[in-house]
Amino acid sequence: LGSVRPVYVHEACHALMARLFGIASEGDWLHEGLANYYQLRWGKQDMRAIAKHLVAKGRISSLESLLDGRPIAMEDYAQAAIFIDWIMFNATRKARLLPAIRFMAKRGSTAFEPAAKVHFGAGIERIQNSWIPWLKSR
């Protein structure tokens, strides 16, 4: 794979998050979602195929539990990456991500609910109601 392997991109994302925002990597959805999102993109992985696999296997956790700011299980990293993909898929959501990250950093927590309400104009339940149909259509 050469000198720049996808796992290096993953680990660099963790370092950048810590350095730029002061958010330590504790295995939460934001760190693992962004790191896996960019790792998968760098490795030219098909995120649509990953989303289809998650849906087919019934491995979709509620966003309320996934995005609560606590460490997530390794088997949930793909779902966190697909959630980041959902954010990046839409220009409006993508533009709101950076302010939301700054908001979470200021609060000292990657719990998404408060940031979602302020920066995305909706709570987790409403976001999930939009995200699930998008995920299933992948």
Side-chain angles (χ1 to χ4, degrees):
L1 294 173
S3 63
V4 181
R5 298 171 190 251
V7 71
Y8 297 165
V9 172
H10 178 106
E11 296 307 326
C13 283
H14 290 311
L16 285 170
M17 289 282 293
R19 181 79 172 148
L20 292 174
F21 302 108
I23 303 172
S25 178
E26 296 180 7
D28 58 80
W29 76 274
L30 184 61
H31 261 280
E32 298 307 338
L34 282 167
N36 277 278
Y37 173 81
Y38 285 109
Q39 176 181 348
L40 292 168
R41 289 193 48 128
W42 180 266
K44 298 185 183 359
Q45 296 283 323
D46 183 358
M47 282 196 247
R48 293 181 81 153
I50 294 167
K52 285 181 182 190
H53 176 77
L54 290 174
V55 171
K57 296 293 182 182
R59 298 214 21 247
I60 305 299
S61 302
S62 74
L63 290 182
E64 183 178 11
S65 64
L66 183 73
L67 308 178
D68 65 6
R70 294 187 306 233
I72 62 173
M74 189 175 281
E75 59 265 14
D76 291 331
Y77 287 10
Q79 182 179 339
I82 298 301
F83 183 72
I84 295 294
D85 190 40
W86 175 79
I87 290 172
M88 300 297 211
F89 186 78
N90 174 279
T92 301
R93 289 190 302 260
K94 183 177 179 179
R96 293 176 180 173
L97 181 59
L98 184 57
I101 292 171
R102 288 186 176 126
F103 178 87
M104 288 182 275
K106 188 174 181 179
R107 288 179 50 91
S109 170
T110 59
F112 189 60
E113 179 78 28
K117 288 179 178 177
V118 170
H119 294 282
F120 291 83
I124 296 287
E125 186 177 331
R126 188 165 155 217
I127 288 173
Q128 179 152 325
N129 290 338
S130 175
W131 180 70
I132 291 292
W134 176 87
L135 176 67
K136 289 180 177 179
S137 73
R138 303 291 285 159

